[in-house]
Amino acid sequence: MPDPSKLLSRKLKPVFRYAVVDEVDQELLARVLFLDGFFTERQPEKQAWRTFRLFGCQPHGALADLLPRLTPATRHLANVEVRILNGLGQPIGSYYVAAFEVNAARPSPLGPGLVDVRVSGVLLSQPHPRAEPIWDYFREGGPRTRGEWAGYSPEGREAWLEVVRRHSFRREEIPGVASSVGAAYRNAAKSEPTVFELDGERVQDPAGLFCALGEAVNGPGGYFGADLNSLRDCLRGGFGVQPPFDLRWKAAEVARARLASAPEVLAASAFDVPYSPADDFVRVLREGRVRVLFE
């Protein structure tokens, strides 16, 4: 998290980086400058109870009503969505928090009318601890060239994949983003065969494989699956292109060799016999009516 104290000397209008909204009726509950303890090390369980802080919180709606009379009996709110906002205040991604409750609040030094609020809830999918700086990059418009994810560490590539996945659900809502993808994506609905190129030179692990596939299909910062199960979902349509199409896999043997030694698996389901991650990747694509061409 950026150092909030550095903002105290700046006479600038605060730029809210997050919003909290009611999951059901989409009522705005808060705009927030900073989160603390949200992008932190994960617990072993997929879903986990977490306490985190909203620094520089501008309360609205039910949260504004609750804060003046906060007691253990009144601190519970509905399930919420924590949205990541870009510089224009538009949502570019989100995380869900169930059983959201307010634990404590105090006036914030970050500005008049702002409060710092300690909250808790069940994270239905724990944020990757390395995702926050990547969200910051996407706030400013995100990648403009292919392969930017390849320069990250293995953990950074996992975080990149999480960001592009969550960003993809908001991509069409953000002015200028949908029009920035490649010509193949824009022409995907036409009758002529569509060919995408996956650069295997950059692939070092399963996360990198899906980063490469996402940008091959949907351009820099694109998403087209994060594992075998979500790849199957994407192949059913609704993620930029729908099969049939061709995928030209450049430097496929280079990627295959790296993937064969990677400790990660590409899907949560177990396999009864030894397998190659690259082979399973190709099998799922072919089952989804994608012709894979190796180079």
Side-chain angles (χ1 to χ4, degrees):
M1 184 189 76
D3 183 1
S5 65
K6 293 181 179 179
L7 295 180
L8 297 179
S9 62
R10 302 181 186 178
K11 296 183 179 179
L12 299 175
K13 181 180 179 180
V15 177
F16 293 105
R17 296 151 50 89
Y18 304 94
V20 181
V21 301
D22 186 289
E23 180 190 13
V24 176
D25 62 18
Q26 300 295 294
E27 177 193 15
L28 177 65
L29 300 176
R31 291 189 177 93
V32 183
L33 291 177
F34 301 104
L35 296 180
D36 181 50
F38 190 74
F39 296 99
T40 189
E41 295 303 318
R42 289 167 163 169
Q43 299 179 30
E45 304 81 7
K46 181 179 180 181
Q47 300 180 2
W49 181 267
R50 182 170 297 176
T51 297
F52 56 100
R53 292 168 177 80
L54 315 178
F55 281 140
C57 171
Q58 184 185 73
H60 293 265
L63 179 60
D65 295 338
L66 181 149
L67 289 179
R69 53 184 180 84
L70 184 61
T71 69
T74 62
R75 67 186 188 182
H76 301 282
L77 290 172
N79 299 342
V80 304
E81 184 182 340
V82 176
R83 293 179 174 175
I84 291 86
L85 306 179
N86 64 13
L88 300 176
Q90 301 161 331
I92 59 172
S94 62
Y95 296 87
Y96 288 96
V97 184
F100 186 75
E101 64 178 42
V102 180
N103 306 131
R106 66 183 184 187
S108 175
L110 296 180
L114 302 181
V115 292
D116 295 338
V117 184
R118 188 174 76 242
V119 299
S120 301
V122 178
L123 293 172
L124 302 185
S125 180
Q126 298 180 67
H128 196 286
R130 308 292 183 267
E132 188 172 23
I134 299 176
W135 279 120
D136 288 340
Y137 182 41
F138 275 70
R139 279 189 176 95
E140 302 304 320
R144 290 290 182 265
T145 59
R146 295 178 183 269
E148 293 185 33
W149 50 269
Y152 286 81
S153 67
E155 295 79 10
R157 289 190 289 273
E158 292 174 357
W160 181 284
L161 190 57
E162 173 179 295
V163 168
V164 297
R165 178 171 64 87
R166 294 182 178 276
H167 182 256
S168 71
F169 300 118
R170 299 277 182 185
R171 189 173 179 126
E172 295 295 334
E173 303 173 17
I174 306 169
V177 172
S179 61
S180 68
V181 298
Y185 169 44
R186 293 195 297 270
N187 295 333
K190 294 185 177 180
S191 58
E192 63 266 22
T194 303
V195 181
F196 301 101
E197 285 194 356
L198 190 158
D199 185 358
E201 286 283 359
R202 296 189 175 106
V203 173
Q204 302 179 52
D205 49 29
L209 176 62
F210 283 100
C211 289
L213 177 63
E215 72 176 14
V217 174
N218 286 318
Y223 169 78
F224 202 76
D227 54 30
L228 294 182
N229 291 329
S230 57
L231 174 57
R232 290 186 180 96
D233 291 338
C234 291
L235 290 168
R236 296 186 185 103
F239 289 86
V241 66
Q242 187 166 347
F245 60 83
D246 292 351
L247 181 70
R248 182 176 293 117
W249 191 350
K250 301 175 65 177
E253 290 306 313
V254 174
R256 183 186 294 273
R258 291 171 178 165
L259 289 167
S261 61
E264 306 92 331
V265 295
L266 296 182
S269 57
F271 293 82
D272 296 329
V273 295
Y275 74 103
S276 162
D279 289 343
D280 286 320
F281 176 73
V282 171
R283 173 177 54 80
V284 170
L285 286 169
R286 286 174 171 166
E287 289 172 353
R289 298 185 301 141
V290 175
R291 186 172 66 160
V292 182
L293 310 172
F294 297 103
E295 290 187 2

